[in-house]
Amino acid sequence: MLKAVQILGWSSGLTISQRLTKTRKSSTVSFISSSLNLSSVTSSSPRRIFSFKPTRMSSSLPGSDPVANSPTFVSVQSAGDVRKIKFCQWCGGPTKHEIPDGEEKLRAICTHCGKIAYQNPKMVVGCLIEHEGKVLLCKRNIQPSHGLWTLPAGYLEVGESAAQGAMRETWEEAGATVEVISPFAQLDIPLIGQTYVIFLAKLKNLHFAPGPESLECRLFALDEIPFDSLAFSSIYVTLNLYLEDLKKGKLKFHYGTINKRPGSSPSDIRAFSLDYHLQP
Amino acid sequence: MLKAVQILGWSSGLTISQRLTKTRKSSTVSFISSSLNLSSVTSSSPRRIFSFKPTRMSSSLPGSDPVANSPTFVSVQSAGDVRKIKFCQWCGGPTKHEIPDGEEKLRAICTHCGKIAYQNPKMVVGCLIEHEGKVLLCKRNIQPSHGLWTLPAGYLEVGESAAQGAMRETWEEAGATVEVISPFAQLDIPLIGQTYVIFLAKLKNLHFAPGPESLECRLFALDEIPFDSLAFSSIYVTLNLYLEDLKKGKLKFHYGTINKRPGSSPSDIRAFSLDYHLQP
C-alpha cells in the first residue's frame, strides 16, 4: 500500500513493472476520452459549452491475454522533480536518487538516515457558490493568473477536511460564509500533480468582500460568466460542467482528468482534454 | 490561493485569523454529524450496518452577525508535525519554525534560502471491485494492520490520475486488471492527513493473485465480508456505505469525514464518527 510506481500512461514506453512478464512496446491508449464539443458556441457569446459523454476507464485491452493485459508502468518525468530534493529534511544528510528495493519509481533517499522523501499530488479545494441564479467569482490579486477570475479555492491543509478547507478558502478569498451543499467535482491534473475538489455551496448571507488575494468578488449571472478571463482550466471545466448540468435539469457529481495539451502554455487554459469523465 | 491557515474545528479556541475582528471564545460546533446507527446489528452476524443521513455543513451560525459568523480558525497540532522538518530539502539549510507573513499556520522556513516546506494531506486511491455479487478484498502482508483485510488501495503518485492510481494499486496488491466504473466515495481523515478516494470497478477477467504486499486475495459474498477483521476505518465505512446503497437499490457517490474518537487506538477501527456526510 505504501509502495507505488509511477504510471503516466498506458501507451508505449519503458516497462519497468517487476511483475510484468511481457513488455508491451506498442500497446495503444485504452482509455476513452470524452469529447470536447464546442459546437454550441455561438459567435455572439463568450460562453463555451462542451458536452461530455461519461466514460469508463480500463487497465486492460479487450481480447488480449491477462498478462499482456496488465497496466504498463511508464517512468517519465513528473511534476514533482525528485532530483531537486538534495537534502533530507529530517536529518540534513545529502540524498541519493535511486529506485528503492521493492519500488519502481525514482526517489530521493537520505544517505545518512535512509529515509525516503515521497512526493504526492496536492488537493485544491474550493466552492462553487450559487446565489439566486448567479455564481460567485473572485478576480485574482496574486500570481499565477493575476487579474483573472476563479472560484474561491486553495490548497487543502493537514488537519482539515476538504469541505472545511473549501469553506476556509472561501472565507479567505471572498470574505464569504457559506453552507456546503454537496460534492460537485473531482478533477485531477496529473501534469502538475494537483486534484481539484469542488463543492456546491450557498451564501449564508449577502456579505462578501475580496480578501488580500482577490482584487474583486462578484456574483455573475450564468450568461455573464467571464469564460474568456478565467484563471485555470479546472475552473473553466467546473463552470462548464455546472452549466451543462443546469441545462439538463440535474446537478451531478463529476470525476475527470484534465490533460493539458503537450507544449501548451499554462496560461492557455483551453489547451486540454477532459478525459475519463465518470459519474456515479 | 496558495496561502492557507490551519483550521481544525469551529469550536472554542485561539482565534488567529487576521481578518476576524471579533474573537469567538465559545462558539459551538455548527456542523451536523450524521449519526452512526448500529441498531441493525444482529448478534448473530459480524456485519455492522449504519445509517447515514446526508447532512450539510456550514461555516456560520444561524442568526449571528456576519463577522462573528465567520469561521473560527483554530491552531492545533496537526498530523504533519512541522517541527520534525529541521532542514531545507532544497539547499540543506537549517529551518526555523514560524508563522510566515500573511499566513496563519506554523511552517518550517529555511533560514538560508527562505523557502517554506508546506505539508499537505495525501490521497489514498483504491477500488471497490464487484464481481457477481461479491467484492474483492486483500489480506495485508505489511504493517500497519498486517493480516487484516482491505480494499486494494494506496498513495496516489504525482503524474497519475486518481483512477489510474486506483488501478495501479489494484494491480500491485491483487494482480487484477480492472475497469473503473464510477467514483464511489471520498472520505477525509483529517487527524492523519489522508483522503480516501474509492472507485467502483469490475474485473476484466478472473485472474487475480496476491502481490508482495498481500497475503491473500479473495472474493467475498456480501454476507461474508469480514467486518471484524478489516484493516482501516475507511474500509469499514466504504463497505458499509456500499451495502447500505445496495439495500436501497441505488449506488451513489458519498463524501464524508472520518473523525477518529479522541484517545482511541489506531487499531480500533470502529472508534470514529462519520461526519458531514454529503451526497450529490
Side-chain angles (χ1 to χ4, degrees), chain A residues 26-105:
Chain A
S26 59
S27 62
T28 55
V29 175
S30 61
F31 299 149
I32 308 159
S33 298
S34 60
S35 59
L36 190 63
N37 176 4
L38 295 176
S39 60
S40 61
V41 175
T42 61
S43 59
S44 62
S45 165
R47 190 196 305 172
R48 302 291 181 271
I49 305 293
F50 38 51
S51 299
F52 302 112
K53 293 178 194 163
T55 56
R56 293 179 179 185
M57 62 193 300
S58 169
S59 59
S60 61
L61 301 171
S64 52
D65 72 84
V67 173
N69 228 355
S70 49
T72 306
F73 300 120
V74 182
S75 179
V76 301
Q77 180 139 3
S78 70
D81 188 351
V82 69
R83 291 194 183 277
K84 288 184 179 168
I85 301 177
K86 297 187 182 303
F87 298 91
C88 175
Q89 61 182 356
W90 299 286
C91 81
T95 58
K96 59 182 178 181
H97 298 92
E98 290 179 2
I99 297 172
D101 287 345
E103 299 201 22
E104 299 178 4
K105 191 178 172 187

Side-chain angles (χ1 to χ4, degrees), chain B residues 96-127:
Chain B
K96 59 182 179 181
H97 298 93
E98 291 179 2
I99 298 173
D101 286 346
E103 299 202 21
E104 299 178 3
K105 191 176 173 188
L106 195 69
R107 310 282 186 190
I109 308 165
C110 179
T111 56
H112 284 182
C113 73
K115 281 188 182 165
I116 300 172
Y118 287 96
Q119 293 180 293
N120 301 89
K122 293 185 178 186
M123 295 172 72
V124 179
V125 295
C127 287

Side-chain angles (χ1 to χ4, degrees), chain A residues 1 8 19 157 159 172 213, chain B residues 1 8 19 159 172 213:
Chain A
M1 176 172 171
L8 264 191
R19 295 167 60 195
E157 292 274 353
E172 290 176 17
E213 298 178 24
Chain B
M1 177 172 170
L8 264 191
R19 295 168 60 198
E172 289 177 18
E213 297 178 26

Side-chain angles (χ1 to χ4, degrees), chain B residues 66-179:
Chain B
V67 174
N69 226 358
S70 50
T72 306
F73 302 119
V74 182
S75 179
V76 302
Q77 180 140 4
S78 71
D81 189 351
V82 69
R83 291 195 182 277
K84 288 184 179 168
I85 301 176
K86 296 186 184 302
F87 298 92
C88 175
Q89 62 183 356
W90 299 286
C91 81
T95 58
K96 59 182 179 181
H97 298 93
E98 291 179 2
I99 298 173
D101 286 346
E103 299 202 21
E104 299 178 3
K105 191 176 173 188
L106 195 69
R107 310 282 186 190
I109 308 165
C110 179
T111 56
H112 284 182
C113 73
K115 281 188 182 165
I116 300 172
Y118 287 96
Q119 293 180 293
N120 301 89
K122 293 185 178 186
M123 295 172 72
V124 179
V125 295
C127 287
L128 200 175
I129 300 160
E130 308 167 293
H131 184 77
E132 295 179 352
K134 298 180 176 182
V135 295
L136 186 68
L137 298 179
C138 303
K139 186 184 269 189
R140 286 171 63 82
N141 190 28
I142 50 174
Q143 292 296 355
S145 302
H146 185 276
L148 298 177
W149 293 91
T150 186
L151 298 173
Y155 287 126
L156 183 64
E157 293 273 353
V158 168
E160 65 186 0
S161 71
Q164 285 175 324
M167 291 193 295
R168 173 184 51 73
E169 288 288 342
T170 299
W171 170 252
E172 289 177 18
E173 298 185 359
T177 55
V178 295
E179 178 182 6

